[in-house]
Amino acid sequence: MSLNVLAVDDSRTMRDMLNLALSSAGFTAHLAEDGLHGLEVLSEIEPDVIITDINMPRMDGFGFIEALRSDDRWSRIPILVLTTESADELKAKARSAGATGWIVKPFDPAKLVKALQMVAG
């Protein structure tokens, strides 16, 4: 399964790690630095699944998820939150915003790939 994945994270190191994990799995990775940049990138691609961090400048992950869910073009795309946060109330807030799943950093590349295949399949 080859997936088109948008990964949104303000950390260059994390974007590099995601790019490596995704491309190693045969996925096409599109990278963005924050929620606003993610929306710009979305205007040019059609991802099968989206990965987003929560804590980012300009537009955080919650705002990004809400923007996606309010737009018919992206309302059905699975969204995985990838963050260092693990508090239950933040998970609940992400779910209510429209997130599909939650992965805590640091991530295991094999588990990330499997989770992407599950939600996109």
Side-chain angles (χ1 to χ4, degrees), residues 7-38:
V8 183
D9 199 300
D10 60 322
S11 162
R12 176 181 293 282
T13 303
M14 188 55 59
R15 288 194 308 272
D16 289 346
M17 290 170 60
L18 284 163
N19 190 31
L20 180 63
L22 296 170
S23 57
S24 295
F27 299 168
T28 301
H30 302 274
L31 307 172
E33 298 172 9
D34 60 33
L36 287 178
H37 188 215

Side-chain angles (χ1 to χ4, degrees), residues 10-113:
D10 60 322
S11 162
R12 176 181 293 282
T13 303
M14 188 55 59
R15 288 194 308 272
D16 289 346
M17 290 170 60
L18 284 163
N19 190 31
L20 180 63
L22 296 170
S23 57
S24 295
F27 299 168
T28 301
H30 302 274
L31 307 172
E33 298 172 9
D34 60 33
L36 287 178
H37 188 215
L39 293 175
E40 291 171 20
V41 173
L42 270 174
S43 67
E44 301 164 14
I45 65 168
E46 290 189 26
D48 298 302
V49 64
I50 295 170
I51 301 168
T52 184
D53 188 14
I54 292 295
N55 300 311
M56 298 180 289
R58 297 198 314 157
M59 178 187 277
D60 69 8
F62 297 121
F64 180 60
I65 294 167
E66 288 167 359
L68 295 175
R69 292 304 183 227
S70 67
D71 190 313
D72 288 342
R73 293 172 292 174
W74 307 308
S75 63
R76 300 198 195 315
I77 298 172
I79 301 170
L80 290 180
V81 174
L82 179 65
T83 181
T84 55
E85 305 286 349
S86 60
D88 288 340
E89 63 268 16
L90 292 177
K91 290 180 184 177
K93 184 176 178 181
R95 260 195 303 279
S96 67
T100 311
W102 188 278
I103 298 172
V104 177
K105 294 176 188 173
F107 67 92
D108 174 321
K111 288 183 181 172
L112 177 69
V113 166

